[in-house]
Amino acid sequence: RITQTGDDNQAWILGSGDDNVYKIEQLGDDYYAKIYAFGDDSDTWITQEGTGDHNAYVLNYPGGDNNSTRLIQKGSGNKDADIIFYSGGDDNDVNLTQQGNGAHTAYMRFYTTDYDVDVIQKGASNQSYSAQFNCSGSGCNKTISITQQ
């Protein structure tokens, strides 16, 4: 767990193995958070609150099953979230919330089978997303919800 409360924030987590919790909390100033995860049954959390530029990246590398990602960006300033799940992973969940004044941008790529994605972008300014969801063959289940308010 990494907690940063101000100034020029940068946080990186590189994790491997199963049943882990990766958490970055940034509560002010210039945010940058990146989590690389290799493994199964893990929870990934990034929270960025306050003013400034919010930049967050979550990358789940091949073969990661049953992983959950929660990414929250709040406050004024630009919000940019990049979430990529590489091939070979099953039953992964993503919850992304971007809210408050300022631009909201989400870039998502899922090269896996069986996933649930829930995105909420709300605030006074621009809201955009780029999404690529790959899932083919029998037994492929996906639920995708994108809400812009």
Side-chain angles (χ1 to χ4, degrees):
R1 176 182 183 153
I2 298 172
T3 301
Q4 299 172 316
T5 57
D7 296 327
D8 300 326
N9 306 317
Q10 288 197 24
W12 295 62
I13 294 177
L14 172 62
S16 64
D18 300 335
D19 302 306
N20 292 304
V21 175
Y22 308 112
K23 191 170 192 175
I24 297 175
E25 294 178 281
Q26 297 173 316
L27 306 174
D29 295 326
D30 301 325
Y31 312 106
Y32 181 89
K34 186 177 276 191
I35 297 176
Y36 293 97
F38 300 83
D40 300 328
D41 304 307
S42 295
D43 294 323
T44 301
W45 296 43
I46 296 178
T47 302
Q48 298 174 317
E49 296 186 24
T51 60
D53 291 328
H54 307 70
N55 294 293
Y57 303 87
V58 174
L59 295 94
N60 190 345
Y61 280 90
D65 298 325
N66 303 310
N67 292 307
S68 176
T69 296
R70 180 177 159 234
L71 199 156
I72 298 172
Q73 297 173 314
K74 293 181 180 179
S76 298
N78 295 328
K79 293 159 206 66
D80 177 41
D82 294 29
I83 301 170
I84 302 172
F85 277 65
Y86 289 96
S87 64
D90 294 317
D91 301 317
N92 293 297
D93 297 318
V94 173
N95 290 293
L96 167 62
T97 301
Q98 297 172 313
Q99 70 183 45
N101 297 328
H104 307 79
T105 303
Y107 173 88
M108 299 168 289
R109 298 291 182 262
F110 294 87
Y111 304 104
T112 67
T113 59
D114 300 333
Y115 47 80
D116 294 317
V117 178
D118 185 25
V119 176
I120 297 172
Q121 296 175 317
K122 59 184 177 179
S125 299
N126 298 336
Q127 300 160 353
S128 67
Y129 66 91
S130 170
Q132 181 175 344
F133 302 100
N134 294 330
C135 190
S136 60
S138 63
C140 180
N141 298 303
K142 57 188 168 197
T143 303
I144 302 161
S145 172
I146 298 176
T147 304
Q148 295 177 313
Q149 302 172 335

